[in-house]
Amino acid sequence: SQQGEEDPQALSIQEGENATMNCSYKTSINNLQWYRQNSGRGLVHLILIRSNEREKHSGRLRVTLDTSKKSSSLLITASRAADTASYFCATDAAIGGGADGLTFGKGTHLIIQP
Amino acid sequence: DVKVTQSSRYLVKRTGEKVFLECVQDMDHENMFWYRQDPGLGLRLIYFSYDVKMKEKGDIPEGYSVSREKKERFSLILESASTNQTSMYLCASSLPPAGLAGGRETQYFGPGTRLLVL
């Protein structure tokens, strides 16, 4: 079942601009992860933020998490052509244990125009 | 670096054929997963495994089975391929959750297998 929903579905910006993508989810989570997928490839993990964290940075990436609003945002600063990809948020429901997979949203397709 | 490999990047099969998709990881991860990805539907979990010979159904297990005889290898089997199983198949592996209340850890994905069933 889908939990995370990314917004917007598609985003086109000029190289050098910042790109912001949002993710909303429905149930309480342990953590939230962001992944990138280049066309026709597997997903690559970008960043994991736990439910007790509010902000996390990794290079040009900044992720925020607002558990009261059940939302997260991914900011890519100073975008480059190589950032063109689909970006997915994945949530991990805070119910039960075990090894069940993450629940992925449908993704934001980001295009960086040269 | 974690490496997850999948046996084929592209595969073309005929309706009714038995299809094996292989996935191997080299990081000694306990957990392994199979997803399919379709336009407009995102990634959906087919099966997962948290140990050798263990398997659990995901959201869409119908028409699929899995095998995990060795820790590093997780196979997805389409017993009788159908056209609605044309899709991108993604394998992933991860460490187990950290503790009873721990969250799911980072998943490492293979490059994907694009399967076309005619």
Side-chain angles (χ1 to χ4, degrees):
Chain A
S1 56
Q2 297 281 342
Q3 161 144 258
E5 290 288 338
E6 293 90 345
D7 170 60
Q9 288 187 337
L11 181 61
S12 179
I13 61 172
Q14 295 295 124
E15 196 166 17
E17 292 180 341
N18 295 343
T20 300
M21 288 157 271
N22 302 297
C23 171
S24 59
Y25 56 91
K26 297 187 177 105
T27 63
S28 297
I29 59 170
N30 287 312
N31 64 49
L32 185 144
Q33 304 182 36
W34 284 92
Y35 289 80
R36 184 188 75 225
Q37 184 180 35
N38 290 89
S39 180
R41 297 283 179 169
L43 277 71
V44 174
H45 179 257
L46 295 175
I47 202 162
L48 182 154
I49 187 165
R50 301 199 186 275
S51 59
N52 60 355
E53 297 175 309
R54 291 295 166 258
E55 189 170 310
K56 209 159 181 182
H57 296 255
S58 176
R60 293 184 297 113
L61 306 180
R62 174 178 161 245
V63 168
T64 61
L65 179 64
D66 187 336
T67 53
S68 65
K69 295 181 179 177
K70 293 187 170 57
S71 67
S72 173
S73 67
L74 170 67
L75 168 67
I76 304 173
T77 60
S79 63
R80 305 168 182 169
D83 295 328
T84 293
S86 292
Y87 292 81
F88 296 86
C89 69
T91 53
D92 156 23
I95 300 170
D100 50 303
L102 299 169
T103 303
F104 287 82
K106 295 178 184 177
T108 291
H109 185 52
L110 175 65
I111 297 172
I112 309 298
Q113 311 262 13
Chain B
D1 279 353
V2 176
K3 192 153 186 190
V4 180
T5 56
Q6 294 184 228
S7 49
S8 305
R9 288 297 314 279
Y10 301 95
L11 210 51
V12 180
K13 295 291 181 182
R14 298 217 170 265
T15 302
E17 280 192 77
K18 191 168 186 175
V19 181
F20 293 88
L21 302 182
E22 304 284 341
C23 175
V24 177
Q25 49 96 3
D26 67 357
M27 280 301 291
D28 204 35
H29 283 166
E30 283 80 1
N31 298 347
M32 295 189 75
F33 309 86
W34 275 106
Y35 296 89
R36 65 177 281 178
Q37 184 179 25
D38 301 286
L41 296 176
L43 274 80
R44 293 178 291 168
L45 180 65
I46 305 171
Y47 267 97
F48 62 93
S49 168
Y50 54 90
D51 203 351
V52 175
K53 295 195 188 293
M54 305 303 287
K55 59 185 178 185
E56 295 287 341
K57 292 179 180 178
D59 297 321
I60 51 162
E62 296 79 19
Y64 303 94
S65 63
V66 290
S67 171
R68 189 146 181 221
E69 296 297 317
K70 293 185 178 181
K71 190 175 185 180
E72 68 271 18
R73 187 179 298 268
F74 192 34
S75 302
L76 180 69
I77 303 153
L78 286 64
E79 295 289 343
S80 178
S82 63
T83 54
N84 63 12
Q85 292 177 310
T86 291
S87 186
M88 170 75 129
Y89 289 88
L90 293 162
C91 174
S93 73
S94 78
L95 291 168
L100 286 176
R104 312 295 179 259
E105 296 300 318
T106 298
Q107 293 192 6
Y108 297 88
F109 282 82
T113 295
R114 196 170 288 280
L115 172 66
L116 172 63
V117 182
L118 300 173

